[in-house]
Amino acid sequence: APSNAAVAIGTSGTTGTSKEVLLTSTALISSARASNKFIGAKSGETWSLLLPLTHVAAVNVIVRSMELGTTPIDLRNFEGEYPKADYTAIVPTQLFRALNGDQQLLSHLQSAKAVLVGGAALSQTLRKQAELAGVKIVTTYGMTETCGGCVYDGTPLEGVQIEIRDGAIRIKGPVLASSISLNDGWFETNDLGQYENDHLVVIGRSDDVI
């Protein structure tokens, strides 16, 4: 790997072709700072870790915590009552589980100031259920190549640019991986999107992949 690569994360995305994505410390820190700024996180506040470290979302939790001067609360194999954290990041399956029987996880999410949900599309029904239960949801869109979520609730993070070209989403900014091909600085995704009320809405894929 090149000397500027800080982390290599294996991913197959939805293409079925396994590859390693190389992320620089600059990209990871840019992502973490922009994320913390978007949700209003302050020095000394805490993140909880509920995702496996083989995924970029978990790496982001660690870097965001470092930026706040704290250590993430590791709940991956935790036994007993979950301690409180100011922020956390999960996938929709975990949110569904919390709303359908996992009372300990639900209580943990309810106590957080913001819960980032990404990694897959979050249905409006599930989001509404979570909000009615008192969970402060922030949906995220991104991928390993963009240091995870780079669009929060349809709004690009600071420094991130979004463009729709022929219906497909293009991304530009300091959060991009060093190992991907760019077109004049733009990363061309296979995701389809559109703008509604100045917010990005992801509507599907441009390729046919099961």
Side-chain angles (χ1 to χ4, degrees):
S3 59
N4 68 338
V7 178
I9 300 180
T11 178
S12 60
T14 55
T15 65
T17 303
S18 180
K19 59 179 180 282
E20 284 189 332
V21 175
L22 304 180
L23 302 173
T24 65
S25 58
T26 299
L28 289 166
I29 291 170
S30 295
S31 173
R33 289 177 177 172
S35 175
N36 281 334
K37 182 175 182 178
F38 186 97
I39 61 177
K42 298 178 177 60
S43 178
E45 292 186 320
T46 57
W47 282 83
S48 69
L49 182 61
L50 287 161
L51 297 164
L53 288 174
T54 49
H55 294 277
V56 69
V59 175
N60 284 336
V61 166
I62 295 174
V63 182
R64 292 176 197 137
S65 297
M66 293 170 64
E67 285 295 305
L68 299 179
T70 57
T71 300
I73 302 169
D74 189 356
L75 300 179
R76 290 171 299 161
N77 299 299
F78 190 85
E79 295 183 3
E81 184 177 352
Y82 284 180
K84 292 184 178 180
D86 295 296
Y87 309 100
T88 193
I90 59 174
V91 295
T93 299
Q94 290 171 302
L95 181 59
F96 179 86
R97 189 181 305 136
L99 294 169
N100 290 273
D102 192 336
Q103 186 58 48
Q104 179 173 248
L105 178 57
L106 178 59
S107 296
H108 180 71
L109 300 181
Q110 289 169 327
S111 67
K113 296 180 180 179
V115 176
L116 307 187
V117 183
L122 177 65
S123 71
Q124 287 300 315
T125 299
L126 190 58
R127 177 169 189 158
K128 186 175 181 179
Q129 289 174 346
E131 291 173 340
L132 288 174
V135 181
K136 304 172 186 67
I137 298 293
V138 177
T139 59
T140 71
Y141 164 73
M143 55 212 72
T144 306
E145 291 87 347
T146 63
C147 284
C150 62
V151 178
Y152 284 15
D153 282 341
T155 301
L157 293 182
E158 184 175 73
V160 175
Q161 300 177 56
I162 300 294
E163 180 180 272
I164 307 297
R165 175 75 64 86
D166 297 327
I169 300 171
R170 306 172 84 210
I171 302 171
K172 191 175 187 179
V175 300
L176 295 179
S178 61
S179 58
I180 59 176
S181 299
L182 302 178
N183 184 357
D184 195 25
W186 290 93
F187 171 55
E188 299 180 339
T189 76
N190 290 320
D191 296 320
L192 299 175
Q194 62 189 29
Y195 273 98
E196 296 180 6
N197 300 320
D198 296 325
H199 286 75
L200 177 68
V201 176
V202 181
I203 57 178
R205 298 278 300 180
S206 61
D207 50 5
D208 293 322
V209 177
I210 299 177

